[in-house]
């Protein structure tokens, strides 16, 4: 069996409005707290990306 590594990229963006337009490939979205978001994620790579973003945002608030 071959093993494939699939690159994964995560991005963060500052959003200044609660109104968001999404493309038709998505069925919806919702704004949640960090704790709710981390608990809803399934994959460790997504949890790590959110944790790192939260750390960067927290450091910038100081």
């Amino acid at each position: 069996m071959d093993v494939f590594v699939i690159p994964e990229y995560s991005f963060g963006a500052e959003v200044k409005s609660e109104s968001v337009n999404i493309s038709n490939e998505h069925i919806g979205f919702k704004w949640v707290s960090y704790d709710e978001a981390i608990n809803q994620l399934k994959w460790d790579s997504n949890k790590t990306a959110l944790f790192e973003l939260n750390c960067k945002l927290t450091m910038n608030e100081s």
Side-chain angles (χ1 to χ4, degrees):
M1 180 169 114
D2 292 335
V3 176
F4 295 96
V5 175
I6 301 171
E8 181 178 339
Y9 302 96
S10 300
F11 301 90
E14 181 178 6
V15 179
K16 296 187 180 200
S17 171
E18 290 188 17
S19 174
V20 176
N21 294 321
I22 58 175
S23 68
N24 59 4
E25 68 182 285
H26 302 286
I27 58 172
F29 77 96
K30 64 180 177 177
W31 298 109
V32 297
S33 68
Y34 171 81
D35 290 332
E36 188 174 346
I38 205 82
N39 287 326
Q40 289 186 13
L41 294 174
K42 178 178 181 178
W43 306 109
D44 287 340
S45 58
N46 296 150
K47 292 179 182 187
T48 299
L50 182 59
F51 172 79
E52 290 178 359
L53 175 61
N54 189 58
C55 287
K56 290 178 182 182
L57 293 172
T58 303
M59 287 186 342
N60 285 340
E61 288 179 355
S62 301

